[in-house]
Amino acid sequence: MKKIILILFLTLSVFSFVPPCMAYNVVDPILIDEPNEKVFGCKNDIYIEILQKEIISKVASGRTATEYFILFPVEVLFLVNDTWEGIDRTSFSLKLTDKDGNETFYPLNYAFSMMSNLKVHWPLFSKPLKFTDLRLTNLVFNVPYVLDGWTLVFRPTARGASAPYCEIDIPLNLR
């Protein structure tokens, strides 16, 4: 009996020092959701996913809009092999294309977006980003009440940089 216990002890000891082996290929975390029509990427370095249905509302973060707000949470996976001092607020905008093809851009309401993120204790985009950062954030935009023709334009730009890293256009479906 002592011999069996000793063999079991030694076997368990050996296995506790051996790292587990993966029986499957390595997969980018955000790509596990694929196929997913709400995951968009650029240069295989930055991915963005809209996590919940976009809504249009008069109120966001306890404040009333002059016109309306469009708000929704997104997740950004940062795989750039570099450190950024955050993502510039100009990285996010909404584009409204009317029936005649005219485009109007609406910038991110940075103050309301950050208030919304602070309420849920999410890290802000003003915080540095490093390789393999995954950021969840609420986006809030001041807009007129229009349901059709919206596109989220994501031009990830490092704080202090003069040009965006890439550009992603994501059609929105407000209803």
Side-chain angles (χ1 to χ4, degrees):
M1 182 71 173
K2 287 182 182 179
K3 201 176 206 182
I4 293 174
I5 292 174
L6 181 61
I7 291 173
L8 281 172
F9 175 75
L10 290 174
T11 304
L12 291 174
S13 296
V14 168
F15 284 121
S16 66
F17 292 110
V18 176
C21 297
M22 296 298 197
Y24 51 87
N25 292 334
V26 176
V27 177
D28 285 339
I30 206 166
L31 298 180
I32 292 172
D33 290 342
E34 289 206 8
N36 185 339
E37 67 278 356
K38 294 211 177 230
V39 175
F40 297 84
C42 66
K43 297 185 180 181
N44 293 321
D45 289 333
I46 298 178
Y47 293 88
I48 185 169
E49 178 180 9
I50 297 175
L51 297 176
Q52 294 176 359
K53 180 119 179 72
E54 311 85 18
I55 61 171
I56 190 163
S57 174
K58 278 295 267 186
V59 179
S61 298
R63 309 289 175 135
T64 305
T66 307
E67 290 189 62
Y68 284 86
F69 293 121
I70 290 181
L71 52 138
F72 51 91
V74 297
E75 193 170 55
V76 175
L77 178 62
F78 184 81
L79 297 175
V80 177
N81 197 8
D82 194 7
T83 299
W84 287 11
E85 292 304 314
I87 292 181
D88 193 80
R89 70 180 67 187
T90 60
S91 297
F92 302 95
S93 63
L94 286 186
K95 176 175 64 173
L96 176 62
T97 306
D98 67 17
K99 293 177 183 176
D100 297 327
N102 300 317
E103 297 177 343
T104 307
F105 287 85
Y106 296 88
L108 178 71
N109 184 322
Y110 189 72
F112 282 96
S113 295
M114 293 308 99
M115 285 187 332
S116 173
N117 290 313
L118 288 171
K119 283 185 174 189
V120 292
H121 305 288
W122 289 343
L124 307 177
F125 276 114
S126 57
K127 302 285 185 197
L129 289 142
K130 297 180 178 162
F131 180 70
T132 69
D133 253 331
L134 184 63
R135 293 287 170 89
L136 182 62
T137 191
N138 286 315
L139 301 179
V140 181
F141 300 89
N142 290 73
V143 297
Y145 187 80
V146 177
L147 295 178
D148 295 322
W150 292 104
T151 302
L152 171 64
V153 180
F154 180 46
R155 294 181 185 119
T157 306
R159 288 173 64 116
S162 58
Y165 188 77
C166 59
E167 182 173 323
I168 304 170
D169 290 346
I170 304 169
L172 302 181
N173 187 17
L174 296 171
R175 287 285 170 215

